[in-house]
Amino acid sequence: MNPVFDQVAFLGFDVFGTVVDWRTSVAREVEPFLARHAISVDPLQFASDWRGLYQPSMEEVRSGRRQYVTLDVLNRENLDTVLTRHGVDLAAIPVQQRDELTKAWERLDPWPDSVAGLTRLKRRFAIGALSNGHIAGMLNLARYAGLPWDVIGGAELSRSYKPQAVTYQRTIAAVGRLSEETAMVAAHNDDLVAARENGMRTVFVCRPTEYGAQQTKDLAPIQDWDIVVTSLTEAAEALDC
Amino acid sequence: MNPVFDQVAFLGFDVFGTVVDWRTSVAREVEPFLARHAISVDPLQFASDWRGLYQPSMEEVRSGRRQYVTLDVLNRENLDTVLTRHGVDLAAIPVQQRDELTKAWERLDPWPDSVAGLTRLKRRFAIGALSNGHIAGMLNLARYAGLPWDVIGGAELSRSYKPQAVTYQRTIAAVGRLSEETAMVAAHNDDLVAARENGMRTVFVCRPTEYGAQQTKDLAPIQDWDIVVTSLTEAAEALDC
């Protein structure tokens, strides 16, 4: 095992893209909604468009232009935006249906290796969500997907969004560890850049189809991450779990 | 099943006394420490004395006389107090040993029914710690005792201590529920009084030996709690899990 992991006791996980496949799952949830309202957009495209508003909406909070609100609030607003962009008259769709569709983000399928990998990693390490998702969303998602978290950390604990330093730092403090006793597990290089800047160890999980076959980003590590793998079972193997 | 539970989706648990047997477990951890330092106090008495400082130390925070600190900080201070009261010269005991002994509160054995009961309850309800313990302490305790929490709520989320209303309210909000969609599970009537005042459903678990054979408190319900049981497996039974 990589010796920098000798003192690691906690693994924090990015969730959307790293542990669960949001794109095909959201598309599946969106499909009957689009059909019912005769909105002719490819569900996978709709999922990507919805996700495309994720970073800009969090940036409003990170920049201080907006007070922290939980991710479900942003996802709900972004749904209306993406519907409008596709020419949909919002007044024609009951609020309750749009509220309900937003919960699609709590019904995301794990990648095929995720549950087995987390279960193995949990033998040796405390494991927790370190996501921009809010606590209730992470809780509901864990129960849907069978993710065996020991603890739910992340954005809501610090009322901030990754890659802000305080998001990592607050979770590290909450689990009672020094930063070098923790590692970040993520499919996104920018997440690991920030985690490393905050003293965490780093595990890059390559997820080359998170954005579909045409994905151009995060296909390879951009720094010498401590561990580089293509699945969470491979991560468990690399960490002797 | 009691029909008021039809809409309940989340069970919050008191932990010390309700889920784990702190008294005999702390006594076990304290025993070699007392022997090493030739402190002649019965370990069970020492555990009770230590625990006896728990409520007064939290009251400093509840009253606003002191800013919130996590429970491990209070337990650590209270250890020095109880040692001093038993005539021990603190200067004779390395700080590190007293720090280490404080972690006894993270190595508490579950009552015999706890893990089986929680595992059954988790099938139907999301389950979480709603304790005055801090997140790291609850995390370490869960891993030690095998408590399968979906989420760790409680004091640290709100920087307050039960029975302050905000402690319950913050956890209810964090799990994304209305108060009537949640229930408090506790062996302490005062905890359930506060939970009910905050709109939660109530499950009383009678633990008549939490404080030993001479226990005089919480031997019976003092209000018409929604469910009254003597174990978490019985709670699972009562809730059709």
Side-chain angles (χ1 to χ4, degrees):
Chain A
M1 190 176 82
N2 186 322
V4 305
F5 278 80
D6 286 351
Q7 60 180 139
V8 168
F10 173 76
L11 304 179
F13 290 77
D14 176 65
V15 175
F16 302 118
T18 301
V19 178
V20 298
D21 174 10
W22 57 265
R23 180 172 165 272
T24 64
S25 306
V26 170
R28 176 197 63 216
E29 299 281 327
V30 156
E31 190 165 20
F33 175 92
L34 296 178
R36 190 182 322 129
H37 297 287
I39 302 165
S40 54
V41 187
D42 172 50
L44 287 166
Q45 184 60 49
F46 192 92
S48 293
D49 292 347
W50 195 356
R51 180 68 171 180
L53 299 171
Y54 173 69
Q55 287 296 344
S57 64
M58 290 191 296
E59 191 55 28
E60 291 300 298
V61 175
R62 293 189 197 110
S63 66
R65 286 189 294 272
R66 179 175 187 177
Q67 280 222 317
Y68 174 79
V69 292
T70 49
L71 188 61
D72 56 333
V73 174
L74 299 179
N75 280 339
R76 176 66 185 80
E77 294 174 358
N78 293 343
L79 172 60
D80 283 357
T81 303
V82 74
L83 284 168
T84 304
R85 286 191 188 172
H86 283 293
V88 175
D89 174 17
L90 290 180
I93 304 178
V95 165
Q96 200 192 336
Q97 286 187 29
R98 287 177 277 148
D99 290 348
E100 180 53 33
L101 185 59
T102 304
K103 291 195 191 299
W105 292 94
E106 303 179 358
R107 292 186 294 264
L108 307 175
D109 293 342
W111 296 107
D113 53 274
S114 291
V115 174
L118 290 175
T119 302
R120 284 173 63 183
L121 290 163
K122 182 172 173 157
R123 290 184 207 153
R124 181 185 176 117
F125 302 97
I127 61 170
L130 206 173
S131 161
N132 280 330
H134 63 312
I135 295 173
M138 286 292 113
L139 167 64
N140 294 335
L141 178 57
R143 288 183 61 85
Y144 173 85
L147 311 177
W149 303 130
D150 289 304
V151 65
I152 296 173
E156 189 173 344
L157 289 188
S158 56
R159 300 175 59 84
S160 67
Y161 282 114
K162 294 188 295 180
Q164 287 186 287
V166 68
T167 320
Y168 305 91
Q169 290 166 2
R170 179 69 189 91
T171 293
I172 293 166
V175 299
R177 295 291 171 182
L178 302 172
S179 58
E180 61 266 33
E181 295 173 326
T182 69
M184 185 75 211
V185 183
H188 309 124
N189 283 287
D190 57 357
D191 202 351
L192 296 181
V193 168
R196 178 174 273 181
E197 282 170 3
N198 285 286
M200 301 180 79
R201 306 310 183 191
T202 50
V203 179
F204 179 73
V205 185
C206 191
R207 297 294 194 190
T209 61
E210 177 187 354
Y211 289 88
Q214 311 307 317
Q215 184 168 323
T216 56
K217 215 185 150 193
D218 291 322
L219 296 173
I222 64 165
Q223 286 189 27
D224 60 331
W225 306 126
D226 298 312
I227 290 179
V228 175
V229 291
T230 60
S231 70
L232 294 184
T233 43
E234 200 186 322
E237 202 70 40
L239 290 166
D240 290 346
C241 295
Chain B
M1 191 175 81
N2 187 321
V4 304
F5 277 80
D6 286 351
Q7 60 180 138
V8 169
F10 173 76
L11 304 179
F13 290 77
D14 176 64
V15 175
F16 303 118
T18 302
V19 178
V20 298
D21 173 11
W22 56 265
R23 180 172 164 272
T24 65
S25 306
V26 169
R28 177 196 63 216
E29 299 280 327
V30 156
E31 191 164 22
F33 176 92
L34 296 177
R36 190 183 321 130
H37 297 289
I39 303 166
S40 54
V41 187
D42 171 49
L44 286 166
Q45 185 60 51
F46 192 92
S48 292
D49 292 347
W50 195 356
R51 181 68 171 180
L53 300 171
Y54 172 71
Q55 287 296 344
S57 64
M58 289 189 297
E59 193 53 31
E60 291 299 298
V61 174
R62 291 188 198 111
S63 66
R65 287 189 294 272
R66 180 176 188 178
Q67 280 222 316
Y68 174 79
V69 292
T70 50
L71 189 61
D72 56 333
V73 173
L74 299 179
N75 281 339
R76 176 65 185 79
E77 295 172 358
N78 293 343
L79 172 60
D80 283 358
T81 303
V82 75
L83 284 168
T84 303
R85 286 190 188 172
H86 284 292
V88 176
D89 175 16
L90 290 180
I93 304 178
V95 166
Q96 201 192 336
Q97 286 186 28
R98 288 177 276 146
D99 290 349
E100 179 52 32
L101 185 59
T102 304
K103 291 194 192 298
W105 293 94
E106 301 178 0
R107 292 187 293 266
L108 307 176
D109 293 342
W111 296 108
D113 53 274
S114 292
V115 174
L118 291 175
T119 302
R120 285 173 61 183
L121 290 163
K122 183 173 173 157
R123 290 182 207 152
R124 181 185 176 115
F125 302 97
I127 61 170
L130 206 174
S131 162
N132 279 330
H134 64 312
I135 294 172
M138 285 293 113
L139 167 63
N140 294 334
L141 178 58
R143 288 183 62 84
Y144 172 85
L147 311 177
W149 303 131
D150 289 305
V151 65
I152 296 174
E156 188 173 345
L157 289 188
S158 56
R159 300 175 59 84
S160 67
Y161 282 113
K162 293 187 295 181
Q164 287 187 286
V166 68
T167 319
Y168 305 91
Q169 291 166 0
R170 179 69 188 93
T171 293
I172 293 166
V175 300
R177 295 291 171 183
L178 303 172
S179 59
E180 61 267 32
E181 295 173 328
T182 69
M184 184 76 211
V185 183
H188 308 123
N189 282 287
D190 56 359
D191 202 351
L192 296 182
V193 168
R196 178 175 272 182
E197 281 171 4
N198 286 285
M200 301 179 79
R201 306 310 183 191
T202 50
V203 180
F204 179 73
V205 185
C206 190
R207 297 293 194 190
T209 62
E210 177 188 354
Y211 288 88
Q214 310 307 316
Q215 182 167 324
T216 55
K217 215 186 150 192
D218 291 322
L219 296 174
I222 64 166
Q223 285 190 27
D224 60 331
W225 306 127
D226 298 312
I227 290 179
V228 174
V229 290
T230 61
S231 69
L232 294 184
T233 43
E234 201 185 321
E237 203 69 40
L239 290 165
D240 290 347
C241 296

